[in-house]
């Protein structure tokens, strides 16, 4: 493997980790409103956890390192040699799916797997919100 490629992967991983390690403001709890009691219903199968809602501004900050490969028109990676896809303007569903698959290891690419493993589900939603709305 070429030293420049290793250095680039290392730099991207460090940048992602440092961006992820920055303190974030705690989420504010919504004001509670009184509700009427609801009748007890039969137990249903547990529903899947809802996907977090993405924040495009936070996503813009998290995608800083993505521009190194995905922001260069016509860019081809040195090793292995392939065309780096355009991610700006993709659907949020596609972006969440791809990053989640990289994070789980079901989608293979060493650099992308390292990047995605540093992201929380909220980070992935934020990234998808920004990239899908960016021009």
């Amino acid at each position: 493997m070429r030293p420049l490629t290793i250095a680039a992967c290392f730099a991207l991983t460090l940048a992602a980790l440092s961006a992820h390690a920055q303190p974030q403001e705690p989420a504010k709890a919504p004001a509670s409103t009184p509700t009427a009691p609801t009748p007890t219903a039969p137990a249903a199968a547990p529903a899947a956890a809802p996907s977090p809602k993405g924040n495009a501004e936070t996503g813009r900050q998290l995608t800083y390192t993505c521009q190194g490969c995905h922001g260069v028109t016509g860019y081809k990676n040195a090793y292995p040699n392939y065309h780096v896809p355009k991610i700006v303007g993709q659907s949020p569903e596609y972006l969440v799916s791809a990053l989640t698959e990289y994070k789980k290891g079901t989608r293979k690419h060493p650099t992308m797997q390292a990047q995605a493993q540093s992201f929380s589900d909220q980070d992935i939603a934020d990234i998808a919100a920004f990239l899908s709305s960016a021009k």
Side-chain angles (χ1 to χ4, degrees), residues 43-96:
S51 298
K53 182 173 169 60
N55 178 315
E57 181 56 30
T58 303
R60 182 185 65 78
Q61 295 168 2
L62 290 170
T63 60
Y64 177 77
T65 59
C66 303
Q67 296 300 316
C69 296
H70 293 282
V72 181
T73 304
Y75 181 74
K76 289 188 183 247
N77 196 23
Y79 179 82
N81 188 5
Y82 66 91
H83 173 75
V84 176
K86 177 184 174 191
I87 56 176
V88 171
Q90 293 286 353
S91 73
E93 297 81 13
Y94 169 77
L95 293 164
V96 167

